[in-house]
Amino acid sequence: MMTKNRAQIRPRRDDVSLDGLSFLLADVQDNLGNFLTAFLTIQGWPSSRIGAAIAAGGLGAVLARFIGGWALDIFPRRRLMLAACCTVTFLSVAVMAWTPLFYPIVLAHFIAGGAGALFTPILAAVSHHTAGARGYIARMGRNESFNHLGNASSGFVMSLLGRVMGPVAPLWGVGGFAAVSLLLVGGLSKRADTPSEQSRDTASLRQTLRAIFTFISETRLAVFLVTYLLFNIANGAVVPLMIERYAFFHLGDPASVTAICIVVAQITMAPVALLVGKKAPQWPRKPLFVFALAMQPVRDGLVILSADWPTLVLVQILDGLSSGIILVLFYAILSDIASGSGRRNLLIGLGLALGTIGALLSNLAGGALTSAYGFNTTFIILGLTGAGVACLFAWGMPETHSPVSEAA
C-alpha cells in the first residue's frame, strides 16, 4: 500500500509543478519583449535602437531552440537545465532593469530570449517522461491551457503594476516569476531526468545533421515544417497590424484594445488546448489541423470588413480557437513523425525555431507592405497566404496518427 501511495504522489507532484511552471513562465516566454519595449520607450530610446534590442531577443530564441532540441535528446538533466534557464532569465532581467544602456540591454535580451525560448521544449521533454507516451499529448494540452491562462492573468497584473509603479515594474515581475519557478522545478520528481532512448554516440553533430536531412527527405516532415513556417508568416503580423490600424484611425484607446485582444485570445485558447489534448488519442490530426489553418484567412477577411472593437473580439476568438488547436497538434504530429527515432526533442526544437523565424519575417513583411500599400492590401496578402497554407497541408500532408505512433 505504501508503494502504491508513493507512485500516486509522484504524478501529482509532477502535474502540480508542470501546471505552475506553464502558468508562471508564460509571461517570460511571450510578454518580456512587450514590457521591455514600453520600458525603453519611457527611457527615450529611438525606434531603431528599440528594434535592435527586441530583435536580439528573437535571434537568441531561434538559436536556443535549434540547439536546445538537440541537447534535450542527449542530456537527461532536464531539471538542472530548467533551473539554469530560470536563473539566467532572472539575472538578465535584473541587468535590463538596472542598466538601461544599449549594449547591456541587447546582450541581456539576447540571453533572456534564448533562455525563455528553451522553457517550452524543456517542459515538453519533462512532460513526455513524467506522463509517459500515452499521456504525453494530454499533458501538453494541459501545459498549453495553463500557459494561456498565465498569459491572460499575468498580462493584466503586469499592466496594473506598470501603471502604479512605473514601466520597470513589469520587468521585475517577469524576473520574479522566473525566480519563483525555481521552487516548482524542485518539486519535479526524478522521472523528469529519465534518460531518453537517444545515446550520446549517435548524437554527434554529424549524426544529428544526418538525422535532420533524413527526416526532411520524408514528405510528412517537410510538408509540416513548411506549413508551420508559412502559417507563422501569414499569422504573426495580424494582431500588431490590427492594433496599429485601430490607433492610426483614432478609433479608441490602443492600450485597451491591446489588452482585449490578448485576454480574449488567451482565454479562448485555454479550454480549446485542454480539450484537444484530451481527445488527441481518439481524433485524427489532419482534419482538425486543416480547420485551424483555415481560420486564419477568415480572420483577415473580418478585419478588412470592419475595424470596430466587436469585430476585433470575434477575430481574437477565432485566433484562440485556431491557435489552441495548432499549438497542441504541433507536438502531437511531430511526436508521431519522430516515433521510435529518439529525435522527438530535436524535431520540436527545429519546428519551434522555424515558427519563431516565421513570426519575425511576418512582422517585417507586414510593416513593409503596410507602409507601401496600406492596411487592407496587407491583410488581403496575409489572408491569401494563409489560404494557400491550408491548401498545402490539406493536399500534401498525410495523416500521421495511428495506434502504433500513440504507443511509441
Side-chain angles (χ1 to χ4, degrees):
M1 181 65 70
M2 182 71 70
T3 303
K4 183 178 180 180
N5 289 339
R6 287 179 179 175
Q8 291 175 341
I9 290 172
R10 285 183 179 178
R12 289 173 188 166
R13 271 180 52 192
D14 292 330
D15 280 341
V16 170
S17 293
L18 286 169
D19 290 346
L21 288 166
S22 298
F23 184 91
L24 290 177
L25 295 176
D27 224 27
V28 179
Q29 299 175 82
D30 300 323
N31 292 326
L32 177 58
N34 296 329
F35 298 141
L36 180 60
T37 299
F39 174 64
L40 297 179
T41 301
I42 297 298
Q43 296 293 319
W45 281 39
S47 298
S48 59
R49 290 205 158 197
I50 294 176
I54 300 305
L59 178 61
V62 171
L63 294 177
R65 283 175 166 170
F66 270 124
I67 298 171
W70 166 75
L72 283 166
D73 281 331
I74 305 171
F75 303 110
R77 302 291 297 275
R78 301 177 190 91
R79 290 181 295 177
L80 179 61
M81 294 174 67
L82 194 54
C85 287
C86 291
T87 303
V88 166
T89 298
F90 174 77
L91 295 176
S92 300
V93 170
V95 169
M96 288 187 275
W98 276 334
T99 314
L101 301 175
F102 181 71
Y103 289 108
I105 288 282
V106 168
L107 179 60
H109 195 222
F110 175 82
I111 295 172
L118 286 176
F119 287 129
T120 298
I122 294 174
L123 290 178
V126 170
S127 297
H128 185 267
H129 287 280
T130 56
R134 290 185 179 275
Y136 171 59
I137 302 304
R139 179 62 253 182
M140 289 307 301
R142 186 161 165 170
N143 286 357
E144 290 296 331
S145 181
F146 274 91
N147 177 275
H148 298 314
L149 290 174
N151 257 321
S153 56
S154 62
F156 176 74
V157 171
M158 294 301 177
S159 297
L160 289 179
L161 284 177
R163 290 186 179 185
V164 174
M165 303 175 65
V168 74
L171 289 179
W172 283 117
V174 170
F177 282 160
V180 172
S181 296
L182 286 169
L183 299 176
L184 294 170
V185 174
L188 291 168
S189 69
K190 292 183 179 179
R191 295 195 305 173
D193 291 340
T194 303
S196 64
E197 60 268 35
Q198 179 67 20
S199 69
R200 295 194 181 201
D201 294 337
T202 58
S204 65
L205 179 59
R206 183 177 179 181
Q207 292 291 340
T208 299
L209 291 174
R210 182 180 297 176
I212 291 175
F213 286 123
T214 301
F215 274 121
I216 291 178
S217 66
E218 184 185 357
T219 302
R220 295 184 303 170
L221 182 62
V223 172
F224 181 74
L225 291 180
V226 171
T227 297
Y228 194 67
L229 172 65
L230 293 177
F231 167 74
N232 280 279
I233 290 175
N235 186 65
V238 173
V239 173
L241 288 177
M242 281 197 313
I243 296 169
E244 184 179 340
R245 184 177 69 163
Y246 202 86
F248 182 81
F249 290 111
H250 304 289
L251 299 174
D253 178 21
S256 300
V257 174
T258 302
I260 290 173
C261 287
I262 293 173
V263 171
V264 169
Q266 298 296 331
I267 289 178
T268 306
M269 289 180 204
V272 171
L274 190 62
L275 176 63
V276 173
K278 286 184 176 180
K279 296 297 183 180
Q282 293 83 39
W283 290 352
R285 321 284 197 217
K286 183 175 178 178
L288 197 57
F289 205 85
V290 171
F291 169 78
L293 292 173
M295 289 295 100
Q296 198 274 323
V298 173
R299 293 171 61 223
D300 287 321
L302 290 172
V303 171
I304 293 170
L305 291 176
S306 174
D308 293 336
W309 70 264
T311 303
L312 300 188
V313 171
L314 176 59
V315 166
Q316 287 307 94
I317 290 174
L318 294 179
D319 181 33
L321 177 63
S322 173
S323 297
I325 295 170
I326 288 174
L327 290 172
V328 176
L329 291 187
F330 169 86
Y331 296 99
I333 292 172
L334 288 181
S335 183
D336 294 340
I337 295 173
S339 178
S341 69
R343 303 282 187 175
R344 179 184 297 104
N345 295 310
L346 175 65
L347 294 191
I348 289 174
L350 180 61
L352 289 173
L354 289 176
T356 303
I357 292 172
L360 292 173
L361 292 176
S362 180
N363 283 287
L364 289 173
L369 288 170
T370 301
S371 298
Y373 303 107
F375 289 103
N376 282 350
T377 301
T378 302
F379 285 123
I380 290 173
I381 293 172
L382 293 175
L384 291 175
T385 304
V389 172
C391 292
L392 169 65
F393 191 85
W395 291 333
M397 184 70 181
E399 176 61 55
T400 62
H401 178 62
S402 68
V404 174
S405 65
E406 191 67 36

